[in-house]
């Protein structure tokens, strides 16, 4: 029997299981949904049997699909480990990644990604530069950090930017707030209220940079280091907070506060991993970025890869 199986077929089935549907699997693999569907159709035609049941949520694999997934679970880790070993032979095994972050909510997705990366590259020392960093890119130049997680790319900086993902930022208001019946908030809705934020400069807040400042709206500010304190203030009608969907979801699910889109089209934030150009050539840096992207896409709500 001649096999048409390739690694890409196994990666497709693995991504389909992990992501739950064809669209998300296609995004994870950076291919079109139609290309993925065509690939699966060819496999099914060759083997004469369907690999999963259509229109099932969560996706349900047939015995043939499960058998191929067993092969994927066996082969793909071995291939990935082999590729890492080859990179170690070519580039050496020692390395370190000291990570500086400019966002308080980054730890919700960064820590799980770091745990996964440690399993893949145990010899690379991982550490987080303590404290909130107002200028994480500056730490790269002074060699106090190796990777900076930032929300904007600056063409004037001599660093390499690796896109991670984009996400929606929502407003959180009290359940009996005067704006509770609004479908979304606009810049003027913040003008007569207090904006509750983490203690960061205005130019690091997407809602200020993208919405309030362009509209010429200035608002009172109140800051806190803790997300739970921020949402308590919101619930007590002390002001409006803005957070990524994933950071606010637990409070929304518990009906503690009300979520509102910011502008009719929504407010989008972006995150990048910045490093000095020399580090970009390291295999472990590339794998670190890939690990963040895949882990975050599978585990966070309402994000898109960029």
């Amino acid at each position: 029997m001649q096999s048409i199986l390739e690694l890409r077929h196994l990666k497709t089935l693995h991504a389909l299981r992990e992501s739950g549907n064809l669209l998300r699997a296609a995004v994870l693999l950076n291919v079109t949904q139609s290309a993925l569907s065509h690939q699966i159709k060819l496999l099914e035609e060759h083997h004469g049997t369907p690999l999963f049941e259509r229109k099932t949520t969560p996706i349900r694999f047939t015995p043939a699909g499960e058998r191929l997934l067993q092969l994927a679970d066996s082969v793909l880790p071995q291939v990935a480990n082999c590729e890492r070993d080859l990179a170690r032979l070519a580039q050496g095994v020692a390395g370190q990644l000291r990570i500086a972050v400019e966002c308080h909510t980054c730890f919700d997705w960064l820590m799980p990604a770091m745990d996964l990366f440690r399993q893949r590259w145990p010899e690379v020392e991982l550490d987080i530069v303590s404290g909130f960093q107002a200028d994480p890119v500056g730490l790269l130049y002074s060699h106090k950090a190796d990777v900076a997680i930032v929300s904007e790319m600056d063409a004037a900086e001599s660093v390499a930017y690796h896109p991670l993902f984009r996400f929606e930022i929502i407003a959180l208001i009290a359940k009996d707030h005067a704006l509770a019946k609004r479908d979304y908030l606009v810049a003027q809705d913040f003008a007569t209220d207090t904006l509750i934020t983490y203690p960061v400069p205005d130019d690091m807040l997407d809602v200020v940079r993208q919405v309030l400042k362009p509209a010429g709206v200035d608002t009172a500010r109140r800051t806190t280091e803790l997300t739970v304190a921020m949402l308590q203030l919101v619930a007590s009608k002390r002001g409006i907070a803005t957070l990524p969907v994933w950071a606010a979801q637990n409070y929304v699910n518990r009906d503690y506060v009300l979520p509102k889109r910011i502008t009719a089209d929504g407010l989008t934030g972006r995150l990048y991993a910045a490093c000095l150009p020399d580090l970009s050539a390291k295999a472990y840096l590339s794998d670190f970025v890939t690990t963040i992207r895949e882990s975050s896409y599978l585990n966070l709500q309402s994000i898109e890869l960029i």
Side-chain angles (χ1 to χ4, degrees):
M1 182 182 297
Q2 185 175 359
S3 176
I4 67 167
L5 280 178
E6 301 176 13
L7 282 178
R8 64 191 179 101
H9 298 137
L10 301 182
K11 290 179 179 178
T12 291
L13 292 174
H14 179 268
L16 189 56
R17 180 184 63 191
E18 296 302 305
S19 61
N21 60 57
L22 279 170
L23 176 60
R24 287 178 59 80
V27 171
L28 199 59
L29 296 171
N30 195 30
V31 298
T32 65
Q33 184 177 351
S34 61
L36 211 62
S37 297
H38 181 68
Q39 185 187 126
I40 293 172
K41 183 179 179 181
L42 288 179
L43 273 179
E44 292 179 328
E45 289 177 349
H46 177 79
H47 293 289
T49 182
L51 300 180
F52 64 93
E53 298 177 17
R54 267 60 175 178
K55 299 181 180 179
T56 58
T57 305
I59 196 165
R60 191 157 54 240
F61 288 88
T62 64
E66 291 287 357
R67 182 62 186 90
L68 285 174
L69 280 171
Q70 290 178 15
L71 179 63
D73 290 339
S74 173
V75 171
L76 293 181
Q78 293 185 60
V79 171
N81 288 334
C82 179
E83 289 177 339
R84 293 185 189 104
D85 287 342
L86 292 175
R88 291 179 179 102
L89 290 172
Q91 300 181 358
V93 298
Q96 67 173 1
L97 290 176
R98 295 164 297 171
I99 306 160
V101 299
E102 68 173 20
C103 62
H104 287 69
T105 57
C106 285
F107 298 102
D108 292 340
W109 53 262
L110 181 57
M111 300 304 288
M114 289 175 64
D115 290 341
L116 183 57
F117 181 80
R118 285 190 183 95
Q119 299 174 27
R120 299 175 174 178
W121 295 88
E123 68 276 30
V124 175
E125 182 181 348
L126 279 182
D127 197 8
I128 295 178
V129 179
S130 61
F132 168 78
Q133 305 299 327
D135 181 23
V137 173
L139 298 180
L140 302 179
Y141 295 126
S142 62
H143 301 289
K144 294 179 180 177
D146 304 294
V147 177
I149 305 299
V150 297
S151 56
E152 284 190 301
M153 294 192 296
D154 187 347
E157 299 285 3
S158 301
V159 299
Y161 289 96
H162 300 270
L164 297 178
F165 53 84
R166 59 175 169 259
F167 55 95
E168 184 172 4
I169 300 167
I170 57 174
L172 289 312
I173 62 175
K175 292 190 292 182
D176 57 346
H177 196 283
L179 300 171
K181 294 184 179 180
R182 290 282 194 90
D183 292 330
Y184 58 87
L185 306 187
V186 297
Q188 292 299 327
D189 292 326
F190 292 83
T192 57
D193 215 321
T194 298
L195 180 61
I196 306 171
T197 73
Y198 299 110
V200 300
D202 280 359
D203 60 3
M204 298 179 71
L205 292 170
D206 287 285
V207 67
V208 174
R209 189 172 63 244
Q210 297 187 49
V211 179
L212 302 185
K213 189 174 181 180
V217 171
D218 193 15
T219 182
R221 286 277 299 278
R222 181 167 180 172
T223 64
T224 177
E225 289 276 2
L226 301 176
T227 303
V228 63
M230 183 184 298
L231 273 299
Q232 285 177 346
L233 290 170
V234 168
S236 301
K237 297 178 68 173
R238 303 294 181 88
I240 303 173
T242 62
L243 288 174
V245 170
W246 78 77
Q249 198 62 55
N250 286 338
Y251 299 94
V252 172
N253 290 345
R254 299 203 309 265
D255 198 30
Y256 191 62
V257 292
L258 284 180
K260 296 292 176 181
R261 297 199 85 184
I262 302 173
T263 77
D265 297 327
L267 174 60
T268 299
R270 291 171 174 80
L271 287 173
Y272 305 86
C275 65
L276 296 181
D278 288 348
L279 184 58
S280 287
K282 297 291 186 181
Y284 61 79
L285 186 281
S286 176
D287 206 13
F288 181 64
V289 171
T290 298
T291 300
I292 288 177
R293 287 167 56 84
E294 292 180 353
S295 172
S296 300
Y297 187 69
L298 293 174
N299 295 311
L300 294 183
Q301 297 189 21
S302 302
I303 74 164
E304 298 178 359
L305 298 181
I306 53 176

